[in-house]
Amino acid sequence: MKLSASSLSNQDFAPELLERVIYRVGSVIVGKEAQIRLTLMSMLCGGHILLEDIPGVGKTMLVRTLAACLGASFGRIQFTYDLMPADVTGTSVYRQQSGTFEFRPGPIMNNLVLADELNRASPRTQSALLEAMEERKVTVDGHTHPLPRPFLLLATQNPLQFEGTYRLPEAQLDRFLMRIQLGYPDPDQEVELLSRMAGADPLERIKPVMLAEEMANMQREVKNVFVDDAIKLMLVQTAVASRSHAKLQLGISPRGTLAWMQASQAAAYMAGRSYVIPDDVKLVAEPVLAHRLVLSHEALLAGTPSEDVVRELLSRLTIPVAPRKGATS
């Protein structure tokens, strides 16, 4: 069946199509359905992902497979200490025949971009990504170039080897909607993986399930998913509680609260609902919030994972009753 850019304006059909994408990506990435779903949720609300995991667990294959399923362009940037900003954004090349400069786009000018080992690049080169992540554009020699829509940056960093790396600052971490770990597959899943990879490259069999333009349409629809005032109060009260938590130096910022709400909207949309429920909020809390928290010195010494603090905050969640508009005390 040939897909058209207008065939997905019907929100009722979108969850079914997203399930097809999940199934197709899962035919290559074995046993990681939850992570595939989170990746799609992040893409639905235009957010970027930090994959913090060891080498060889399928990070690059995940992005390549997702790009193939969406019929989207894919770019990969291998970050090293000598990588320059122009290697990311692109550069202007002088054409002697015409006497003009021509923009030669860098790998950032793709729908899905893998920034491999982001923390190995210098802060100057890391900062070249900030404009692209936040504003969906790059500026080269005073000229602004918009990025394609949709645009998703998926950055990786190795949590074990820190020699020759530059720590990502909190301001940059806060711009990633989610942090996801793939982890090792189960033994049975790893046997299945070996069987699938024994023949031809499974990516060669992947055909587009939908178009990149249709994902862009979905992103616009996700913004219209209804969030009740009671849900908003629940998010804000949790964020406020984190800012005075004994185990934290830095709690959830307003940007983090907004990201949490947007991810909850995407979760509801994938479930086929036009409104957010508390289960959506809880589903996305850890991948959205854990990397934004800065632990206290005592918590660091005790080896407390930030995910534990998120779970503790969630255990205190209550659904407040939103005040009626126009009500007087």
Side-chain angles (χ1 to χ4, degrees):
M1 180 183 68
K2 185 177 180 180
L3 298 172
S4 65
S6 60
S7 63
L8 270 187
S9 57
N10 185 354
Q11 184 175 335
D12 295 334
F13 183 59
E16 178 185 341
L17 193 55
L18 290 168
E19 288 297 326
R20 293 184 195 173
V21 174
I22 292 169
Y23 175 80
R24 193 67 61 86
V25 176
S27 68
V28 178
I29 309 298
V30 182
K32 302 300 176 185
E33 181 180 330
Q35 290 87 340
I36 296 168
R37 286 184 180 277
L38 288 172
T39 302
L40 276 176
M41 287 178 198
S42 187
M43 194 171 192
L44 282 170
C45 48
H48 308 294
I49 298 174
L50 178 64
L51 270 179
E52 189 176 79
D53 218 323
I54 58 175
V57 292
K59 300 185 291 292
T60 302
M61 186 65 76
L62 170 62
V63 189
R64 289 179 60 200
T65 307
L66 186 58
C69 288
L70 299 181
S73 59
F74 169 72
R76 177 177 179 175
I77 311 168
Q78 185 65 51
F79 280 77
T80 57
Y81 72 94
D82 57 349
L83 193 75
M84 300 299 292
D87 298 325
V88 175
T89 60
T91 186
S92 295
V93 178
Y94 181 71
R95 296 297 182 188
Q96 190 172 2
Q97 295 86 346
S98 60
T100 59
F101 285 91
E102 178 182 304
F103 175 62
R104 180 176 293 174
I108 197 71
M109 304 293 288
N110 285 284
N111 295 120
L112 276 74
V113 177
L114 176 66
D116 212 1
E117 295 191 282
L118 175 61
N119 57 334
R120 292 200 177 277
S122 67
R124 180 185 176 189
T125 303
Q126 289 179 17
S127 66
L129 291 176
L130 294 182
E131 182 185 24
M133 294 172 68
E134 193 71 16
E135 301 179 32
R136 268 48 176 194
K137 63 182 182 181
V138 295
T139 302
V140 178
D141 294 333
H143 297 282
T144 299
H145 305 274
L147 295 176
R149 298 295 180 96
F151 171 70
L152 172 66
L153 178 77
L154 198 151
T156 72
Q157 65 174 356
N158 188 338
L160 300 178
Q161 297 177 353
F162 294 103
E163 291 185 10
T165 64
Y166 299 85
R167 182 177 178 273
L168 297 182
E170 282 75 18
Q172 189 164 345
L173 283 173
D174 206 32
R175 283 175 168 81
F176 287 101
L177 185 86
M178 295 186 186
R179 181 179 65 183
I180 300 175
Q181 291 91 25
L182 290 179
Y184 289 119
D186 294 336
D188 291 343
Q189 295 169 348
E190 194 161 358
V191 170
E192 183 180 351
L193 174 65
L194 294 177
S195 299
R196 291 186 186 182
M197 294 298 178
D201 185 350
L203 271 178
E204 295 178 357
R205 301 191 300 268
I206 295 293
K207 304 296 181 183
V209 178
M210 56 188 287
L211 302 177
E213 292 86 351
E214 293 169 332
M215 173 58 75
N217 290 339
M218 288 185 181
Q219 289 177 334
R220 287 188 285 271
E221 290 177 344
V222 166
K223 295 179 181 178
N224 296 323
V225 173
F226 177 71
V227 185
D228 191 85
D229 286 346
I231 297 289
K232 294 175 184 176
L233 278 172
M234 183 170 64
L235 301 179
V236 171
Q237 289 179 357
T238 304
V240 170
S242 74
R243 295 164 194 167
S244 58
H245 197 285
K247 295 179 180 178
L248 298 176
Q249 291 187 55
L250 188 66
I252 304 167
S253 68
R255 181 187 286 142
T257 311
L258 177 60
W260 194 9
M261 183 185 76
Q262 292 171 336
S264 301
Q265 288 175 294
Y269 185 85
M270 285 190 68
R273 278 182 278 100
S274 60
Y275 55 91
V276 172
I277 62 175
D279 285 347
D280 300 323
V281 171
K282 295 176 181 178
L283 176 66
V284 299
E286 283 188 38
V288 171
L289 301 178
H291 65 286
R292 303 173 191 272
L293 304 178
V294 179
L295 296 170
S296 66
H297 295 299
E298 293 78 9
L300 286 171
L301 290 172
T304 304
S306 54
E307 287 82 2
D308 285 357
V309 180
V310 174
R311 285 191 284 269
E312 182 183 336
L313 290 168
L314 290 178
S315 68
R316 304 175 186 175
L317 270 182
T318 57
I319 304 176
V321 178
R324 289 179 298 175
K325 294 180 179 179
T328 57
S329 55

